[in-house]
Amino acid sequence: MAYAWHKRMRARDLAEEHRAATPLELFFDLCFIVAVAQAGTSLHHAVGEGHVAHGVGAYLMVFFAIWWAWMNFTWFASAYDTDDVPYRLAVLIQITGSLIVAAGVARAFDDGDFTIMIVGYVVMRTALIGQWLRAAAADPAGRTTALRMAGGLFAVQTLWVAFLFLPESYRVPAWIAFAVLDAGVPVVAERAGRTSWHPRHIAERYGLFTLIMLGESVAAATLAFKAAFEAGVSVRLIVTGLGGVVIMSALWWLYFSRDPSGRLTDSRAGFIWGYGHYAVFAASAAVGAGLSVSAAHLEHETHVSDTVAAASVTLPVAVFLLALWVLHHHRTEPYLPLVLTIGFLAASTFTPAAVPLTALCLAALVAYKEVRTARARPVPAFDPEPA
C-alpha cells in the first residue's frame, strides 16, 4: 500500500491480494514483547517462591490486559489501515500506551495495583477511539459499527478508571465483570455490520504474535543452558534446555501445520478464533515461565515441590494443545491423539523428568501428524515421458 500524508479512511478490500503485516504492525508487536516478558518473569518468580495460586491468577489478569490491547489494535488495523501520517501518529501513541502498560505489569502482578496499566490503557484507548471516529466519518457503510466501537470503548474505559477507586474487596469481581464487558464491545458493535478485516492478514498477525509468545520459551531454554555451563556442565540442566528447545519447536510445528485463513469466513468464526487465542497466547508465554521454574528448581532456587515445578511446564503445554485443537483441528483431526497426549503429560508431571518426557511426547505427536498428513495426500498419477 502506497504511503501518503493523508488518505480517506475507507474500509480495506476483503479480496485484497498479497495482504501482509506492515512494518508498523511489526513494530507494535515488538513493543509488546516487553509487557509479555514482564508477565512471564513475574509468573516465574511467583511460582518459584511458592505463591502458585496468586501467581496464576495475577498472570491470567495481567495477560488479559496485554492480549486485549493487542487485539484492539490488530483487528482495527486489518480493517482500516491507511498508513498515512494521522494513522501512524495514532499508532505511535498506542505504542506509547503499551509501554506504560508494560511498566505497570510488575506492580499489578505483585500488589494488585493496576493504576499504571490503566493509565497506559487510557493513552491507547484515546488514540484508538480517535481512529474509530475517523473511520465513522470516512466510511458510511461501516459508520454504525465504528460509532458503536468508539462509544463502547469509551464507556468501558470509564469503568476501568472507576475501578481504581473501588474498595479492595470489590476489585476481583469488578475486574471480571469489566473484562467481560470490554470483550463484549466488538460483539455488540459488529451486529450492525462486519468490519472488513482480512482473513489471511488476521491469520498472519496471529501467527506472528504466537512466535513472540514462543520466544519466551527460547529465552528460558537459553537461561537453562547458561546455568548448566556456569554450574560446571550440569547434565540435568542441559537436558532441560534441550527439552525446552524441542517443546518450543514442536509447539511451533503444530501451530503452523495448517493455514487457518480459510476458516475465517464470518464474524462468528472471527470471534471464536480471536478470543480463543487468549488461551494459546497465555499458554505459550507460560511455557517459557515454566521452563524457567524447572531450571531454577534444579538449581535449588525455588520453594516448590517437584510436582509443582513439573506442572509449570506440562499444564500450559496441555492448555496450548487443547486450545489449538479446538481452533485449528477439531473438524479434521481425531481427538484420541490429543486425549492420549494430555494424559501422558499429566502422568509425566509426577516424574522427575517431566521436561524431557514432555519434549518426547510432543515430538511423537508431531511425527504422528506428519505421517497422517502424508498418507492423506493423493498419490500423483504416473505420467510416462513421451517417446
Side-chain angles (χ1 to χ4, degrees):
M1 182 172 60
Y3 167 76
W5 286 102
H6 184 271
K7 294 180 180 179
R8 190 171 180 82
M9 186 173 269
R10 296 299 182 103
R12 296 289 293 263
D13 184 2
L14 284 171
E16 181 180 348
E17 296 183 358
H18 311 298
R19 180 74 192 277
T22 66
L24 184 58
E25 288 176 315
L26 299 179
F27 183 44
F28 188 90
D29 290 358
L30 178 65
C31 294
F32 262 77
I33 293 176
V34 180
V36 172
Q38 290 285 327
T41 300
S42 296
L43 177 62
H44 161 209
H45 291 315
V47 174
E49 292 169 4
H51 309 304
V52 179
H54 166 76
V56 173
Y59 175 75
L60 294 176
M61 293 172 69
V62 167
F63 197 89
F64 175 87
I66 298 168
W67 162 78
W68 189 241
W70 181 87
M71 282 268 290
N72 281 199
F73 165 76
T74 297
W75 289 79
F76 177 87
S78 189
Y80 287 107
D81 182 359
T82 54
D83 197 32
D84 57 4
V85 169
Y87 177 84
R88 289 186 174 191
L89 291 176
V91 173
L92 293 175
I93 292 172
Q94 289 177 267
I95 287 174
T96 302
S98 75
L99 297 178
I100 297 173
V101 168
V105 165
R107 182 177 294 185
F109 205 104
D110 297 333
D111 306 323
D113 183 358
F114 284 84
T115 303
I116 296 176
M117 293 192 74
I118 289 176
V119 169
Y121 251 79
V122 169
V123 173
M124 287 191 293
R125 285 277 172 82
T126 299
L128 184 60
I129 290 170
Q131 295 273 55
W132 279 112
L133 291 175
R134 185 184 171 196
D139 182 25
R143 181 166 299 155
T144 302
T145 300
L147 289 175
R148 285 186 180 185
M149 284 294 303
L153 291 173
F154 178 81
V156 174
Q157 191 56 44
T158 302
L159 292 176
W160 283 119
V161 173
F163 172 86
L164 298 176
F165 302 96
L166 291 175
E168 190 70 28
S169 59
Y170 290 92
R171 288 278 179 101
V172 173
W175 188 96
I176 295 172
F178 294 171
V180 171
L181 290 173
D182 213 339
V185 169
V187 178
V188 174
E190 291 220 357
R191 288 180 179 176
R194 170 188 163 180
T195 54
S196 57
W197 47 268
H198 194 285
R200 190 166 295 280
H201 175 250
I202 286 293
E204 181 190 22
R205 296 289 292 118
Y206 273 72
L208 292 172
F209 206 61
T210 300
L211 291 176
I212 290 175
M213 301 302 106
L214 292 175
E216 289 297 293
S217 300
V218 176
T222 302
L223 291 175
F225 283 129
K226 180 175 180 292
F229 293 119
E230 288 179 349
V233 190
S234 167
V235 174
R236 295 185 68 187
L237 281 169
I238 290 176
V239 170
T240 298
L242 290 173
V245 172
V246 174
I247 290 170
M248 168 204 65
S249 302
L251 296 182
W252 167 83
W253 197 305
L254 293 168
Y255 184 91
F256 291 99
S257 63
R258 290 182 182 273
D259 178 11
S261 59
R263 299 178 184 174
L264 300 176
T265 55
D266 52 31
S267 292
R268 182 177 180 276
F271 283 127
I272 294 173
W273 169 265
Y275 289 15
H277 265 75
Y278 169 72
V280 174
F281 292 157
S284 301
V287 169
L291 289 170
S292 296
V293 170
S294 295
H297 188 68
L298 291 175
E299 295 182 279
H300 307 289
E301 295 179 356
T302 63
H303 300 87
V304 296
S305 65
D306 293 346
T307 301
V308 171
S312 68
V313 175
T314 59
L315 180 59
V317 168
V319 171
F320 180 97
L321 294 176
L322 180 60
L324 186 64
W325 184 81
V326 171
L327 295 175
H328 279 222
H329 306 302
H330 73 280
R331 295 179 181 176
T332 57
E333 299 283 346
Y335 67 86
L336 183 58
L338 174 71
V339 172
L340 292 176
T341 300
I342 291 178
F344 186 88
L345 291 174
S348 67
T349 302
F350 301 96
T351 71
V355 172
L357 287 176
T358 298
L360 289 174
C361 178
L362 291 178
L365 183 61
V366 169
Y368 162 78
K369 287 180 64 64
E370 287 303 306
V371 170
R372 186 173 185 275
T373 301
R375 288 179 176 177
R377 293 193 187 104
V379 179
F382 177 66
D383 184 16
E385 295 183 4

